[in-house]
Amino acid sequence: MRRALLVVLLLVAALLTVPPARSFAAGGCAPSGTPPAAHVSERKIGDLDWDGRPDTLWVGQVRDGNGQIDRVVGVTTASGANSQVQVSSASPIPLSALAIDAQQDGQHQIIVSDGRSARLYVFANCRLQAAADNQGAPFLFDLQNLRDNGTGVGCSDLGPPSTGRHLVGLHATNDGQWTVRRTEIDLNGTLATIGGSDTVAASSAQDPAVTSAETISCGNLTIAKDGVQQP
């Protein structure tokens, strides 16, 4: 009887000394960087640094040492990490930004629009970084067909060989029949690679395929409804 009791006591002690499983919310980026100025526009977004808490996307303007006004987009995590990028653009249209997880794989992207084109950024290693193409150039989306290659940005599954949702560049055209060309963008960290494409027909300018190809969206998120606009 004593031996049985001793075994039970030893088992209980062993269970009590097993270290608890690490909480998913125990991560997060270390506090760093300069917090945004008070006058920026900001919005709570999803969890970018995997600590289980919502983070903040913001857009604003700062004055540099020469008195010039620079437009900036930044992220502040709930853990206190701050990262921002300067967005140089000749467009007079205020900036807007949307945070997404295009491939639904835990990678997080920020799409920044100046109304004429959209820049792609990635939040990785606790920093906001510009995505680049295979040549090392910043990855840009055409939004006004200025280079005859795009009118919007979305997220779609084009099927094999790259099944699953991907970021896509959208190009709506009307040559007697409305069509939308969808071009897949494969994301791997900060590398954005152009993949396959297809074309879908649309019935009119009001067809959802066309209207969604003339804006920036991903899943049920749209830059007009869920993004942040420059004040």
Side-chain angles (χ1 to χ4, degrees), residues 142-158:
D142 196 356
L143 298 181
Q144 293 186 343
N145 209 26
L146 299 177
R147 293 176 293 277
D148 194 34
N149 65 3
T151 56
V153 183
C155 293
S156 296
D157 183 351
L158 273 59

Side-chain angles (χ1 to χ4, degrees), residues 22-37:
R22 180 173 178 175
S23 169
F24 185 74
C29 297
S32 62
T34 303

Side-chain angles (χ1 to χ4, degrees), residues 31-40 42 56 58-62 72-77 79-84:
S32 62
T34 303
H39 59 276
V40 303
E42 59 183 32
T56 301
W58 54 269
V59 180
Q61 301 181 101
V62 296
V72 293
V73 173
V75 165
T76 298
T77 67
S79 59
N82 295 277
S83 179
Q84 66 182 46

Side-chain angles (χ1 to χ4, degrees), residues 15-27:
L15 288 173
L16 291 176
T17 57
V18 172
R22 180 173 178 175
S23 169
F24 185 74

Side-chain angles (χ1 to χ4, degrees), residues 81-167:
N82 295 277
S83 179
Q84 66 182 46
V85 291
Q86 180 180 329
V87 181
S88 299
S89 169
S91 172
I93 303 172
L95 296 180
S96 54
L98 177 67
I100 63 172
D101 177 356
Q103 298 178 168
Q104 299 175 306
D105 59 359
Q107 297 187 64
H108 297 281
Q109 303 83 36
I110 309 294
I111 301 176
V112 180
S113 167
D114 65 7
R116 295 175 177 172
S117 63
R119 292 162 172 78
L120 179 61
Y121 297 92
V122 175
F123 188 79
N125 298 321
C126 295
R127 292 189 299 115
L128 198 55
Q129 306 176 54
D133 61 20
N134 284 328
Q135 307 302 316
F139 198 92
L140 295 177
F141 291 96
D142 196 356
L143 298 181
Q144 293 186 343
N145 209 26
L146 299 177
R147 293 176 293 277
D148 194 34
N149 65 3
T151 56
V153 183
C155 293
S156 296
D157 183 351
L158 273 59
S162 301
T163 55
R165 194 175 79 173
H166 282 72
L167 189 64

